[in-house]
Amino acid sequence: MAGHKTLDDLFATADIKGRRVLVRADLNVPMQDGKVGDATRLERVAPTLTELAGRGAKVVVLSHFGRPKGKPDAKYSLKPVAEALSAFTGGTVAFADDCIGEVAQRAIEALAPGSILVLENTRFHAGEEKNDPDFAAALAKNGDVYVNDAFSCAHRAHGSTEGITRFLPSYAGRAMEAELTALEAALGTPKRPVVAVVGGAKISTKIALLANLVKKVDALVIGGGMANTFLAAQGKKIGKSLCEPDLLDTAREILESARAAKCDVVLPSDVVVAAEFKAGATAHTVSADAVPEDMMILDVGPDTLKHLAGRFETAKTVVWNGPLGAFEIPPFDRGTVEAARLVAMRSKQGELVSVAGGGDTVAALNEAGAAEDFTYVSAAGGAFLEWMEGVELPGVAALAKT
Ligand code: AMP
């Protein structure tokens, strides 16, 4: 991978046997009744941990967990997560009750080379979120090398994601490397044409993202509730649909800058409407020009899907964020499901590179049974969105080759 220092760069320059390698992971997993729910993040970080352990390093894992407000709070202890991690690393994972100071130092001294230790929640110290240099130095004191494998936390300049890189040689872990490679292939130096699919409820959370995408992609497909505001901005009547009337001008500005950048904006030509958003509501398909006054738009229609199929047919790269409709309740999931399956199929055939992530996107693609065949599905939320906005992520910038 060009641009960032990876584990291969580390191994080429140093023997890490017996060395203390601090790995920033994202162990901020959902918990249900004291047990880890979705373990995707543990699964993704495990290869980096086992690779380092396999080379005889003392692997010391740093992570935040929840929002404990800068002081210890048993509710946010990483201890149960450390236990769950061992199922993915193939051996016992040790745990220490603090991430800095003597407690951490002693646990690391006692750690056998080739073993893994998780330190307690970095956010138990106020210096983490403030990116206090003294806190970052205290973290760094317990390591010889730093590896960041938490892309999902890289949009935050915190002690364990950015501050620490000022004190230690720093590298991207395997999951971080895979994420950066996928993102580079999608928006950095992509094969064209590039089609971006952006859906979800509202424009308000995605203005910066849309403004950046129109400058970078060849076609921007807008779906979901946010498409309604664009349709309204074009003077269409949208009945009772979700809309942000105070953003009509913003929508027009985005359409204008798309025109200037020669980016095709694809809005729904037909839509699925219902009188209310609930299971069992009677759905009708109408032209986007003829939405009945007492109905709301809840999905894109079949003509729109046909048009999208044509776009995906010729696309070389697809980048996707957000559902095309209110996908939680059938039949309003149909647009998202069918479009995602088309992209998945073309990706599986090796015809295009597809990268998806952010918010509800992963849930929607999983529901469509499409996630597996996308080239890459990011487990990151905010960091993925900021990357789509074109923002430089501090945790990533810190790993750049100089
Ligand atoms: P976001 O978190 O911005 O990606 O938005 C995801 C949410 O948008 C999901 O809960 C969808 O149900 C919702 N959504 C998508 N399309 C519509 C629509 N046409 N009307 C209302 N909500 C929608």
Side-chain angles (χ1 to χ4, degrees):
M1 181 182 58
H4 298 94
K5 289 177 287 175
T6 68
L7 292 186
D8 296 323
D9 296 308
L10 167 62
F11 300 149
T13 52
D15 179 6
I16 57 162
K17 205 164 181 192
R19 310 287 281 166
R20 302 164 304 165
V21 181
L22 294 174
V23 182
R24 177 56 158 100
D26 183 358
L27 304 185
N28 190 34
V29 289
M31 301 291 282
Q32 275 150 15
D33 308 323
K35 291 228 167 353
V36 171
D38 179 1
T40 306
R41 285 177 169 164
L42 305 187
E43 209 178 313
R44 290 213 177 169
V45 78
T48 293
L49 304 180
T50 51
E51 187 175 354
L52 290 166
R55 285 181 177 254
K58 290 185 170 199
V59 183
V60 182
V61 183
L62 301 170
S63 179
H64 77 284
F65 184 54
R67 297 178 188 277
K69 302 210 167 71
K71 49 183 192 311
D73 180 340
K75 213 168 50 230
Y76 297 111
S77 173
L78 272 172
K79 199 166 184 197
V81 186
E83 280 162 21
L85 182 60
S86 63
F88 297 90
T89 56
T92 318
V93 171
F95 181 76
D97 288 324
D98 202 351
C99 63
I100 54 171
E102 241 179 75
V103 171
Q105 196 186 327
R106 261 188 271 130
I108 295 167
E109 272 164 16
L111 191 68
S115 307
I116 301 170
L117 164 76
V118 171
L119 300 181
E120 184 57 286
N121 195 342
T122 50
R123 287 192 186 166
F124 282 3
H125 294 269
E128 164 72 336
E129 291 184 75
K130 287 190 188 135
N131 200 7
D132 173 5
D134 290 340
F135 174 71
L139 286 176
K141 198 168 163 226
N142 286 321
D144 302 302
V145 171
Y146 171 75
V147 171
N148 191 344
D149 215 25
F151 175 82
S152 47
C153 309
H155 56 316
R156 313 226 185 270
H158 287 174
S160 67
T161 59
E162 196 273 340
I164 191 169
T165 65
R166 296 168 192 270
F167 299 96
L168 289 175
S170 304
Y171 301 87
R174 295 300 182 202
M176 172 73 92
E177 183 184 346
E179 185 99 26
L180 295 177
T181 303
L183 300 190
E184 177 65 18
L187 279 191
T189 46
K191 285 200 186 139
R192 293 187 178 273
V194 184
V195 177
V197 179
V198 181
K202 293 178 172 182
I203 297 185
S204 45
T205 52
K206 295 186 185 169
I207 296 170
L209 182 148
L210 293 167
N212 183 46
L213 284 181
V214 295
K215 288 186 266 159
K216 296 219 163 132
V217 305
D218 303 292
L220 172 63
V221 175
I222 302 178
M226 62 195 291
N228 304 340
T229 305
F230 281 92
L231 294 172
Q234 291 180 329
K236 296 194 165 70
K237 301 231 165 22
I238 55 165
K240 290 198 300 178
S241 303
L242 180 68
C243 181
E244 292 167 285
D246 49 337
L247 290 178
L248 292 178
D249 282 342
T250 304
R252 285 186 201 106
E253 278 161 28
I254 290 168
L255 292 173
E256 188 45 49
S257 54
R259 241 189 313 273
K262 299 198 168 35
C263 166
D264 259 348
V265 174
V266 180
L267 287 166
S269 54
D270 63 340
V271 288
V272 177
V273 298
E276 47 192 343
F277 177 37
K278 69 172 206 205
T282 310
H284 311 269
T285 300
V286 297
S287 158
D289 291 314
V291 175
E293 231 171 79
D294 57 345
M295 300 260 168
M296 58 178 79
I297 300 171
L298 290 168
D299 197 9
V300 296
D303 283 346
T304 307
L305 281 171
K306 216 155 126 196
H307 179 79
L308 293 188
R311 294 274 176 175
F312 297 147
E313 199 59 35
T314 53
K316 289 274 176 270
T317 304
V318 170
V319 46
W320 188 312
N321 169 258
L324 292 178
F327 76 101
E328 295 93 338
I329 299 185
F332 311 115
D333 58 339
R334 191 175 153 208
T336 306
V337 168
E338 290 199 5
R341 285 186 183 159
L342 285 173
V343 173
M345 190 182 75
R346 303 272 306 152
S347 311
K348 197 176 175 186
Q349 291 165 344
E351 300 291 338
L352 59 78
V353 169
S354 52
V355 175
D360 275 346
T361 313
V362 182
L365 296 187
N366 277 333
E367 193 195 290
E372 237 172 63
D373 291 328
F374 266 60
T375 313
Y376 189 79
V377 177
S378 174
F384 185 87
L385 291 178
E386 286 198 25
W387 165 78
M388 275 183 100
E389 290 169 8
V391 173
E392 179 173 74
L393 311 181
V396 171
L399 308 174
K401 280 184 175 156
T402 41

